[in-house]
Amino acid sequence: MKPLLELNHVSYAYHSKNGETAALSDLSFQVFPGEFIAVIGPSGCGKSTLLSLISGLLLPESGTILYTQRHAKEFSGHRRTRLARTDRRQNELLLSDQTNRNSIGYMLQKDHLFEWRTIYRNILLGLEIQHRLDENARARVDKMLKDYGLEPFRDARPSELSGGMRQRAALIRTLAPDPELLLLDEPFSALDYQTRLAVCDDVAAILRRERKTALLVTHDLSEAISMADRILVLTKRPARIRTILTIRFIREEPDGNPSGRSPLEQENPDQTPSGTPPFEGKASDKSPSRLTPFERRGEPEFQEYFHYLWKELNADEQNLQ
C-alpha cells in the first residue's frame, strides 16, 4: 500500500529580527490511506507548525513533503531565501503545485462558525469559496446533516447550539468538500470534559464512516490513545520524532492476539520507511469489532499505553535530573 502522505527529513525555523527559532528538525514519517495518526509532544514543540507545513500554509526549509505521490517539493535553506524574494503570485503558484488544497481539510481548535449565517450556510462556506457548490455537493451536505443529527438545526444560528453540536457542524463543514486528508488541530480543547468524550466518539464514528485519513494534534494522551492507530511522540523544540507507537487492542484483533506481541510495539523513527503500513488489516477495519474511543478507555491496554507515553513525554526532564 502506498502512503497518502510522506515527510522526509523536514525541518522548519521561524525567523525574526531577533534571530532564528528552530521549530522542527529532520522529521520523517508516513501516513497511509484510512489511518488515524495522533501527534503529541511538549507544549510549544511545533505540533501546529507541522500541520501548517502539511497543509501548504508554510514552506519547509529543507526536506520533502510528498502528498498522494503527485505533489512533491524539495527545499533547502538557499531555496527558502530565494522564495522570500518572489512575489505573491509566484508563491501562490508554488503552494498550489506543492499540495492539492481541495484534498486537505483543516479543522482548528475553535469552530469559527459565523453567527450571521445559519448552520447550513456555515457548512456550505468552504464549497462557496472553492466555487464547488453544485447540486451534488448540496446533496452530500444534506445527507451528512441527516446522518449526523443536525438536520433539525440546519436553519439555527450557531449560538443556539451546544458546544458539541457546533463542533459537529464544523466537522461537517470540513468534510463537505470531500477531502482525502483531515488535519485536526486540538479540535476538542474548547469543550468541557464530558462533551469531549461524546464528541470524540462522534468524530471517530464519522471519520470511519466517511473512510477518511486523519492527523490529530493533541495535548491529551487519553484522547490520542483512544482515537489513534499510531501515535507520533515529538521531543521538545526543535521537535524530532522520539518514537512512533502503534496502538493495538486485543479486542480489535481479528483473532484476539494470536501472535502474542506486546501492545507496546514501536517503530524506529530513524529507519527508512518500508512502504508497508504497520496497521495493515487493522486501522482501516470498519467492522463492528472496532472499539469506540470511550470503549478503548476501559480496556486494560489503555493504562499501559498511557504510562508509557507519559514517560516518553517527560524523558527530557528526567535526563536532566
Side-chain angles (χ1 to χ4, degrees), residues 190-244:
L191 304 175
D192 62 82
Y193 183 72
Q194 183 176 356
T195 303
R196 285 180 76 152
L197 292 178
V199 173
C200 277
D201 274 13
D202 283 348
V203 169
I206 291 171
L207 294 184
R208 286 201 298 271
R209 184 167 181 173
E210 298 292 325
R211 298 181 179 272
K212 295 300 180 185
T213 307
L215 196 67
L216 168 72
V217 159
T218 180
H219 283 92
D220 190 327
L221 297 186
S222 297
E223 194 171 272
I225 299 166
S226 67
M227 298 188 75
D229 299 302
R230 285 192 296 155
I231 298 176
L232 273 62
V233 183
L234 302 183
T235 66
K236 64 181 181 180
R237 191 177 64 215
R240 294 175 176 268
I241 296 179
R242 179 177 297 281
T243 190
I244 302 176

Side-chain angles (χ1 to χ4, degrees), residues 221 225 245 247-250 261-265 296-297 299-312:
L221 297 186
I225 299 166
L245 183 65
I247 302 297
R248 287 187 170 91
F249 287 84
I250 292 176
R261 292 175 302 187
S262 166
L264 287 174
E265 179 177 332
R296 275 187 167 192
R297 291 170 184 256
E299 294 299 296
E301 299 96 326
F302 184 88
Q303 287 299 324
E304 188 174 356
Y305 283 129
F306 187 95
H307 291 306
Y308 173 80
L309 291 171
W310 179 265
K311 289 179 181 178
E312 287 294 294

Side-chain angles (χ1 to χ4, degrees), residues 88-139:
R88 178 179 298 228
R89 176 60 179 163
Q90 287 174 308
N91 272 319
E92 288 175 351
L93 287 172
L94 180 59
L95 285 172
S96 176
D97 185 44
Q98 183 193 356
T99 57
N100 183 344
R101 286 171 174 263
N102 292 341
S103 296
I104 297 178
Y106 202 151
M107 186 173 174
L108 302 173
Q109 295 179 21
K110 297 182 179 180
D111 57 64
H112 294 289
L113 298 175
F114 296 121
E115 187 62 28
W116 60 87
R117 296 175 73 105
T118 64
I119 293 300
Y120 182 67
R121 294 192 62 227
N122 266 288
I123 290 172
L124 296 181
L125 183 60
L127 291 166
E128 292 175 6
I129 292 173
Q130 296 176 14
H131 305 289
R132 297 173 59 196
L133 188 54
D134 54 21
E135 189 173 327
N136 289 334
R138 288 183 181 274

Side-chain angles (χ1 to χ4, degrees), residues 122-174:
N122 266 288
I123 290 172
L124 296 181
L125 183 60
L127 291 166
E128 292 175 6
I129 292 173
Q130 296 176 14
H131 305 289
R132 297 173 59 196
L133 188 54
D134 54 21
E135 189 173 327
N136 289 334
R138 288 183 181 274
R140 174 177 166 78
V141 168
D142 290 341
K143 185 177 186 304
M144 285 194 291
L145 283 169
K146 292 178 182 178
D147 289 345
Y148 307 131
L150 287 181
E151 172 62 27
F153 306 95
R154 62 183 292 146
D155 296 323
R157 301 289 174 174
S159 59
E160 300 177 75
L161 272 62
S162 66
M165 294 174 71
R166 289 173 64 116
Q167 285 300 95
R168 200 181 307 171
L171 177 60
I172 295 175
R173 179 184 60 192
T174 306

Side-chain angles (χ1 to χ4, degrees), residues 51-62:
L51 295 191
S52 294
L53 288 167
I54 293 171
S55 68
L57 296 175
L58 296 176
L59 301 177
E61 290 197 320
S62 62

